[in-house]
Amino acid sequence: MAFDHKKYRPYHPINKTDRRWPNATIEHSPKWCSVDLRDGNQALIDPMTVDQKDRLFSLLVEVGFKEIEVGFPAASQTDFDFVRSLIEQNKIPDDVTIQVLTQARHDLIERTYEALKGVKQAVVHLYNSTSPTQREKVFKLDKQGIVDIAVNGAKTVKALAAGYPETHWTFQYSPESFSATEPEFAVEICNAVLAVWQPTPEQPAIINLPSTVEMTTPNVFADQIEYMHENFAYRDSVILSVHTHNDRGCAVAAAELAILAGAQRVEGTLLGNGERTGNMDIVTMAMNLYSQGIDPTLDLSGVSKIVQTIQDCTQLPVHPRHPYVGELVYTAFSGSHQDAINKCLQVQHESDHWDVAYLPIDPTDVGRSYQEVVRINSQSGKGGVAFVLEQIYGFKLPRWMQIALSKVVQKRAEGVGKEISVDEIYRVFTETFIHSAGKILNYDIHQQHDKQRLDATIETPHGVTTIVGIGNGPLEAFLNALMAHDSTHYEISDYQEHAMGAGSKADAAAYIAIKCNDQNGYGVAIQQDSVLASLQACYNAVVQAKQVQDEEQLQAS
Ligand SMILES: [Zn+2]
């Protein structure tokens, strides 16, 4: 059998009984370090061009990153040249620190410092691999041999830094493959490096703990981080950083639990590009904080630009359901969701905390609009349709009008077999209920004894006619005039009107439901004059009822 789970063995959890992280909460944002230009870039089919790197670097600065890993200059001439161009062309703002990666080899560390010559401040990021698999199969060294690589690298990093006194240096060490390394050994090797660097609270070192490959549930990673947090020497002089990957789909969760467990800094990429399944997605984690009332210290209000730039630089599409930024994430398709959103939005005041069903954040915070909240397909209920017309066009449809419209919209959506756009809904609405075959040109009302007499002139495709009727009010008089004119029985079953917008010059919208024999008809009209609005809506309802009757007769024959 090819698909055989017995091929794999379970991960052994850490034997920890004094966990504190499950009771912790995240109260402020971690320090962020973007590794888009290094880890992200090295995972691309086509690595970024200099122009793309420049564009991405500017975006990272604009979003507010203060630490940006820009490459692996000792391993790649392109990276070397890019680092030089940033420094020589003065592209690094004073409050931004660039970071570069290097292996723990003397010649590579030397070349790394050459790349950084003249920079105001930088992080030199040293790594070597520490897991049993890497020790035994890749490097064929015992534990001491691996510690020696790290310690010698740390010594070289420290010694060569002294040759560049104009730069403020920070040293960072990563035990690569940390997540697969025995925790006791990870502590041993990190402490050996720290003993070389002798960090102080004023001059801290960064220890970065990667889940180079994500291998466990996030709680196990949190245990590993808490263990390190408790066992570092120089703990008050160490910035504990994590660098998670998404192999099991939990990179963000692992980083969040790591913060609970004592991590202070998080490395990741915007939208999660990176080796294999990608790096931790900083946009998602930062927006998770934001949605809990925590300042993420990054400005993600322009997600469209972020998405566009990342897509242009990585040539990778963003999934339409990507958290917070996907094309569909503020779109509700189901009628009950639309209805709930609609009801919540109506009572959501600017001064209150955001509390809208199905919308964890206000889409406008990230430059998205309410217009996207609702799309209509054949499953959408009347709530969605009514919501669209009210939010965008200002029509407050009475319930019976919502039902009538949603039937027509649903029919149209079924006809085309897909969702129909907001513009299409508006077109269906106006074509069916507003634009009728007749227009009331003018009307005249006279008091006749205790009744009112109405004369109305109507323009139809067949010509101009004047009809006359008497009733208790203009609408009843108009209906009587229509009945006298075409000898059909009409009866108004519902009527409603409201002002469109505010002010004395606001148009009036009138909605009328009539019964024409057994057939219901619905009409809507907007006019400056509210009496004319009601008469025209009534006429439109009569026309619509007749149209439906004609269609049904046509189908029957
Ligand atoms: Zn990585």
Side-chain angles (χ1 to χ4, degrees):
M1 217 171 83
F3 189 70
D4 181 5
H5 63 276
K6 291 196 282 300
K7 189 170 172 182
Y8 302 97
R9 62 191 161 189
Y11 184 83
H12 288 292
I14 294 191
N15 189 16
K16 206 170 188 304
T17 51
D18 57 347
R19 293 180 181 90
R20 285 174 296 151
W21 64 262
N23 293 326
T25 49
I26 301 180
E27 271 146 22
H28 53 83
S29 170
K31 285 165 161 283
W32 304 106
C33 175
S34 152
V35 297
D36 289 81
L37 287 159
R38 201 277 300 165
D39 221 351
N41 185 51
Q42 81 187 37
L44 294 176
I45 302 166
D46 296 315
M48 285 178 238
T49 62
V50 174
D51 280 353
Q52 286 170 320
K53 284 185 181 178
D54 272 335
R55 207 175 141 196
L56 186 47
F57 184 79
S58 306
L59 176 77
L60 294 168
V61 168
E62 199 181 306
V63 162
F65 284 97
K66 300 301 172 204
E67 294 184 349
I68 302 173
E69 192 167 76
V70 291
F72 197 158
S76 139
Q77 186 63 40
T78 322
D79 280 13
F80 188 96
D81 294 342
F82 178 63
V83 175
R84 289 312 308 154
S85 75
L86 289 177
I87 297 167
E88 283 164 17
Q89 294 168 29
N90 259 322
K91 287 182 176 162
I92 309 164
D94 283 346
D95 61 346
V96 170
T97 303
I98 60 165
Q99 169 173 322
V100 294
L101 186 69
T102 179
Q103 276 172 319
R105 270 174 42 194
H106 194 280
D107 55 332
L108 295 179
I109 297 168
E110 223 166 18
R111 180 90 175 133
T112 302
Y113 278 105
E114 281 169 29
L116 291 168
K117 191 173 179 353
V119 74
K120 193 173 164 233
Q121 67 249 342
V123 176
V124 176
H125 180 187
L126 176 78
Y127 79 95
N128 71 318
S129 209
T130 55
S131 71
T133 309
Q134 294 270 358
R135 293 193 312 252
E136 290 156 20
K137 295 186 178 162
V138 183
F139 292 92
K140 302 195 190 334
L141 286 170
D142 62 7
K143 284 180 178 171
Q144 191 53 51
I146 296 291
V147 173
D148 289 345
I149 292 176
V151 167
N152 289 333
K155 285 179 181 164
T156 310
V157 163
K158 190 176 180 180
L160 294 185
Y164 301 86
E166 71 280 12
T167 300
H168 181 269
W169 299 107
T170 301
F171 304 145
Q172 170 168 335
Y173 174 67
S174 290
E176 202 216 7
S177 60
F178 161 80
S179 48
T181 302
E182 309 88 326
E184 303 76 15
F185 182 57
V187 165
E188 181 190 332
I189 198 163
C190 290
N191 283 348
V193 168
L194 291 170
V196 175
W197 286 343
Q198 303 274 325
T200 60
E202 296 72 39
Q203 263 283 56
I206 301 167
I207 295 288
N208 182 55
L209 303 175
S211 67
T212 304
V213 177
E214 181 172 61
M215 326 182 79
T216 68
T217 47
N219 62 305
V220 175
F221 186 66
D223 281 350
Q224 290 173 305
I225 299 301
E226 192 169 82
Y227 178 86
M228 298 298 285
H229 169 62
E230 288 163 347
N231 288 286
F232 275 136
Y234 304 95
R235 181 63 191 92
D236 61 349
S237 306
V238 169
I239 295 167
L240 175 46
S241 174
V242 292
H243 173 116
T244 57
H245 277 268
N246 202 36
D247 296 85
R248 296 167 53 103
C250 301
V252 169
E256 287 175 331
L257 297 200
I259 297 293
L260 299 180
Q264 297 142 295
R265 179 182 186 268
V266 172
E267 293 192 348
T269 61
L270 289 177
L271 308 181
N273 174 48
E275 294 278 9
R276 303 179 310 284
T277 52
N279 282 76
M280 210 294 300
D281 174 4
I282 293 183
V283 172
T284 300
M285 184 169 168
M287 287 306 298
N288 285 351
L289 296 174
Y290 179 80
S291 71
Q292 299 299 300
I294 296 167
D295 176 3
T297 70
L298 296 174
D299 180 358
L300 301 170
S301 58
V303 296
S304 310
K305 183 177 177 182
I306 294 172
V307 169
Q308 193 59 52
T309 307
I310 296 296
Q311 281 183 336
D312 290 350
C313 291
T314 62
Q315 306 292 315
L316 292 171
V318 171
H319 197 283
R321 299 216 183 270
H322 193 109
Y324 299 105
V325 308
E327 193 199 326
L328 295 178
V329 300
Y330 304 109
T331 306
F333 285 90
S334 105
S336 64
H337 288 211
Q338 291 166 358
D339 195 46
I341 292 170
N342 188 7
K343 284 175 177 154
C344 294
L345 283 176
Q346 274 168 4
V347 294
Q348 177 67 40
H349 296 292
E350 218 160 288
S351 54
D352 295 341
H353 282 131
W354 182 255
D355 184 21
V356 175
Y358 303 109
L359 287 179
I361 64 152
D362 181 349
T364 62
D365 290 353
V366 290
R368 300 285 295 272
S369 70
Y370 293 136
Q371 192 162 355
E372 295 172 281
V373 172
V374 178
R375 291 199 194 180
I376 305 299
N377 63 18
S378 60
Q379 290 159 47
S380 304
K382 57 191 184 322
V385 173
F387 175 80
V388 165
L389 285 180
E390 177 165 350
Q391 290 293 312
I392 302 166
Y393 301 101
F395 290 96
K396 297 185 186 113
L397 302 194
R399 212 182 133 70
W400 43 268
M401 192 70 225
Q402 292 179 15
I403 295 166
L405 172 62
S406 103
K407 277 184 190 155
V408 183
V409 168
Q410 200 142 348
K411 215 168 162 186
R412 180 74 62 103
E414 278 162 9
V416 293
K418 55 174 189 186
E419 67 179 29
I420 71 172
S421 67
V422 167
D423 293 345
E424 183 102 11
I425 291 168
Y426 180 67
R427 200 159 62 237
V428 168
F429 174 65
T430 52
E431 273 172 10
T432 313
F433 303 110
I434 298 185
H435 299 146
S436 80
K439 188 177 171 215
I440 301 172
L441 297 177
N442 53 61
Y443 69 91
D444 201 25
I445 303 170
H446 297 285
Q447 197 69 30
Q448 261 190 9
H449 310 292
D450 55 342
K451 301 261 181 190
Q452 291 189 338
R453 174 196 151 120
L454 177 122
D455 296 57
T457 311
I458 305 171
E459 185 182 33
T460 72
H462 313 294
V464 177
T465 358
T466 298
I467 57 170
V468 182
I470 291 168
N472 284 318
L475 196 53
E476 195 186 300
F478 183 66
L479 206 62
N480 288 335
L482 283 175
M483 286 197 273
H485 184 71
D486 61 11
S487 52
T488 312
H489 182 75
Y490 301 118
E491 199 180 308
I492 291 179
S493 43
D494 274 298
Y495 173 78
Q496 201 156 313
E497 64 169 47
H498 66 79
M500 299 277 282
S504 57
K505 290 227 159 134
D507 282 342
Y511 307 85
I512 285 186
I514 61 137
K515 255 195 149 39
C516 158
N517 301 330
D518 281 337
Q519 184 59 53
N520 289 309
Y522 302 90
V524 181
I526 310 149
Q527 295 288 341
Q528 268 253 273
D529 169 6
S530 64
V531 174
L532 184 56
S534 68
L535 301 183
Q536 183 69 56
C538 182
Y539 190 80
N540 294 349
V542 166
V543 171
Q544 204 251 336
K546 281 187 182 163
Q547 262 167 5
V548 177
Q549 245 170 6
D550 290 350
E551 274 168 33
E552 282 176 2
Q553 269 166 14
L554 212 64
Q555 275 169 6
S557 64

